[in-house]
């Protein structure tokens, strides 16, 4: 099999820490093009990975040899650039959130289908070993009936890892549209859907309380009711000043599952009879120094294309997770419980 030719659009931190590194390490991939509005960033990454540098994504998309692209841009550009790439005949791996409205997400899905191209959303939580093991335990019935859950993703804020620091687009309402909920909360929405099925109803408190001179949300606590009837909470925050939290706890009939809730064990199962099983599994990724391992997102994207099979996080799956976040924002605005069956119109 000839190597897949890929381009990366956007050369900020997420491209540097995840996409480019993982493409480079995949033996079935050649990085042939990179793009950034700032020429020095594009040229730096082009030199590092032996690729051609562009400052116009439109010009990059004209390169016929490119099979697939990663979209590593501000939130407001995810949908439009993904659609242009799909129409140019490229497979697309889009960073989360896949779009900023449900309608944009629908358009992305329709264009991917019309062009017979893969559209995958870069949700990495489904590939974390502790999360996969927890799903196995839940699906096997070992945990029994699920009663409740809590899931949280918080850190000090994107200014601590974004290439632009406090001047990052993350804090620009016009570019980000959604703050901590779009950066972190959508990951946990995707995870809880992966573990427990789809969400039926959403209620939320969403605030801007930790960051100054921005209008995007930085703290959110969301109540979720799953289609199964299970209720739980989701928290997303940029205000955890002394470290991060990327944990999930599932409360079941026969056991409690603690995922990424202990510094030494990625999964702890506390059984009703008093037995405790501690699993030493590969750690979840963080943005801290030394916290980068293979997220498996890139490898899965490449394999999905090579084998012409649906990915774990299709456009449809990405939209369902996005809709949870959009419902939370609507709940905040209306002070009502929002049903996911409603049409989510901004």
């Amino acid at each position: 099999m000839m190597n897949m030719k890929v381009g990366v659009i956007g050369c900020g931190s997420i491209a540097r820490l995840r996409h480019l590194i993982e493409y480079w390490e995949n033996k079935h991939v050649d990085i042939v093009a990179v793009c950034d509005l700032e020429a020095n960033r594009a040229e730096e990454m082009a030199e590092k990975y032996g690729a051609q540098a562009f400052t116009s994504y439109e010009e990059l998309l004209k390169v016929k040899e490119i099979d697939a692209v990663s979209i590593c841009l501000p939130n407001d550009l995810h949908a439009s650039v993904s659609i242009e790439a799909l129409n140019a005949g490229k497979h697309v791996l889009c960073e989360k959130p896949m779009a900023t409205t449900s309608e944009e997400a629908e358009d992305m899905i329709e264009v991917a289908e019309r062009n017979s191209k893969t559209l995958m959303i870069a949700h990495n939580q489904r590939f974390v070993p502790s999360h996969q093991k927890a799903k196995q335990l839940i699906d096997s019935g070992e945990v029994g009936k699920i009663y409740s859950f809590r899931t949280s993703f918080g850190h000090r804020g994107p200014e601590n890892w974004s290439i632009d620091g406090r001047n990052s687009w993350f804090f620009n309402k016009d570019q980000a549209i959604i703050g901590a909920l779009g950066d972190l909360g959508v990951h946990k929405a995707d995870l809880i859907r992966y573990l427990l099925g789809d969400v039926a109803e959403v209620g939320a408190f969403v605030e801007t309380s930790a960051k100054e001179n921005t209008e995007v949300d930085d703290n959110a606590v969301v109540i979720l009711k799953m289609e199964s009837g299970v209720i739980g909470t989701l928290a997303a925050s940029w205000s955890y000043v002394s470290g991060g939290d990327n944990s999930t706890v599932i409360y079941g009939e026969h056991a409690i599952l603690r995922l990424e809730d202990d510094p030494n064990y990625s999964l702890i199962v506390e059984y009703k009879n008093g037995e405790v099983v501690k699993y030493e599994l590969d750690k979840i990724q963080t943005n801290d120094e030394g916290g980068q391992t293979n997220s498996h997102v890139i490898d899965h994207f490449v394999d999905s294309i090579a084998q012409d099979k649906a990915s774990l996080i299709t456009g449809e799956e990405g939209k369902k997770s996005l809709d949870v976040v959009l419902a939370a924002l609507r709940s905040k605005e209306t002070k009502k419980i929002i049903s996911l069956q409603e049409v989510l119109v901004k």
Side-chain angles (χ1 to χ4, degrees):
M1 182 181 71
M2 293 183 63
N3 275 12
M4 186 179 300
K5 312 294 185 184
V6 303
V8 175
I9 301 176
C11 292
S13 292
I14 198 65
R16 293 164 181 246
L17 295 175
R18 303 279 169 85
H19 293 252
L20 286 165
I21 290 174
E22 294 186 22
Y23 278 130
W24 181 255
E25 292 179 348
N26 187 301
K27 64 182 181 180
H28 300 300
V29 168
D30 291 327
I31 302 170
V32 299
V34 294
C35 176
D36 199 280
L37 282 175
E38 296 201 21
N40 62 320
R41 292 181 183 175
E43 289 164 2
E44 179 189 357
M45 291 300 100
E47 182 177 355
K48 182 173 183 178
Y49 292 104
Q52 184 177 0
F54 292 85
T55 54
S56 162
Y57 74 84
E58 292 95 340
E59 291 302 311
L60 181 149
L61 292 177
K62 291 179 182 177
V63 179
K64 292 184 178 180
E65 69 171 325
I66 293 177
D67 302 302
V69 295
S70 275
I71 309 298
C72 302
L73 296 170
N75 296 344
D76 66 318
L77 296 174
H78 286 179
S80 60
V81 178
S82 291
I83 287 171
E84 288 192 52
L86 291 163
N87 279 329
K90 318 300 184 188
H91 301 286
V92 169
L93 174 62
C94 181
E95 264 301 327
K96 50 71 198 169
M98 69 181 288
T100 59
T101 70
S102 192
E103 292 77 14
E104 285 181 339
E106 286 281 7
D107 289 343
M108 293 167 69
I109 293 165
E110 188 276 326
V111 172
E113 184 176 348
R114 173 158 34 93
N115 287 287
S116 300
K117 294 299 175 183
T118 294
L119 169 62
M120 177 173 157
I121 313 306
H123 286 297
N124 55 26
Q125 300 253 333
R126 299 191 186 203
F127 301 100
V128 175
S130 61
H131 298 167
Q132 294 188 332
K133 181 62 178 179
K135 182 171 176 59
Q136 176 188 332
L137 293 171
I138 292 168
D139 290 352
S140 71
E142 186 167 336
V143 183
K145 180 181 179 181
I146 304 301
Y147 293 142
S148 187
F149 63 87
R150 70 162 177 82
T151 188
S152 177
F153 198 173
H155 55 47
R156 293 180 297 162
E159 68 268 38
N160 294 285
W161 71 276
S162 171
I163 195 169
D164 291 314
R166 189 57 179 82
N167 295 319
S168 170
W169 61 264
F170 279 99
F171 300 102
N172 184 323
K173 180 71 171 180
D174 291 337
Q175 292 180 287
I177 312 296
I178 313 169
L181 272 173
D183 180 31
L184 307 178
V186 73
H187 269 316
K188 288 307 189 182
D190 192 71
L191 172 62
I192 212 66
R193 289 185 49 255
Y194 171 66
L195 293 176
L196 302 179
D198 285 334
V199 175
E201 294 180 281
V202 175
F205 294 96
V206 184
E207 300 294 337
T208 304
S209 57
K211 307 300 180 185
E212 297 179 349
N213 302 315
T214 184
E215 297 177 2
V216 298
D217 59 280
D218 58 26
N219 270 295
V221 176
V222 184
I223 300 171
L224 302 178
K225 183 175 183 179
M226 313 305 287
E227 288 187 352
S228 63
V230 176
I231 58 172
T233 60
L234 180 158
S237 179
W238 287 342
S239 67
Y240 295 0
V241 298
S242 64
D245 181 13
N246 203 342
S247 66
T248 300
V249 181
I250 307 292
Y251 301 93
E253 177 184 11
H254 303 311
I256 296 173
L257 307 181
R258 299 190 179 277
L259 292 67
E260 306 300 330
D261 195 39
D262 182 275
N264 299 312
Y265 299 97
S266 296
L267 173 62
I268 297 177
V269 183
E270 301 170 345
Y271 288 95
K272 187 178 181 179
N273 64 8
E275 180 186 2
V276 177
V277 179
K278 298 179 178 180
Y279 292 88
E280 290 189 70
L281 304 168
D282 288 344
K283 295 288 186 180
I284 195 168
Q285 283 195 321
T286 74
N287 292 323
D288 298 331
E289 186 175 352
Q292 302 307 316
T293 60
N294 191 327
S295 72
H296 304 291
V297 169
I298 297 299
D299 291 346
H300 185 75
F301 177 58
V302 171
D303 289 345
S304 296
I305 295 169
Q307 298 176 29
D308 192 24
K309 65 179 184 181
S311 72
L312 262 180
I313 311 102
T314 60
E316 289 83 355
E317 285 294 291
K319 179 182 180 298
K320 288 181 178 181
S321 298
L322 169 66
D323 282 348
V324 174
V325 167
L326 296 176
L329 293 172
R330 175 173 281 193
S331 175
K332 186 259 185 179
E333 293 168 0
T334 63
K335 299 187 183 302
K336 295 180 180 179
I337 302 296
I338 304 299
S339 168
L340 266 293
Q341 297 301 314
E342 297 176 12
V343 178
L344 293 170
V345 180
K346 186 175 179 182

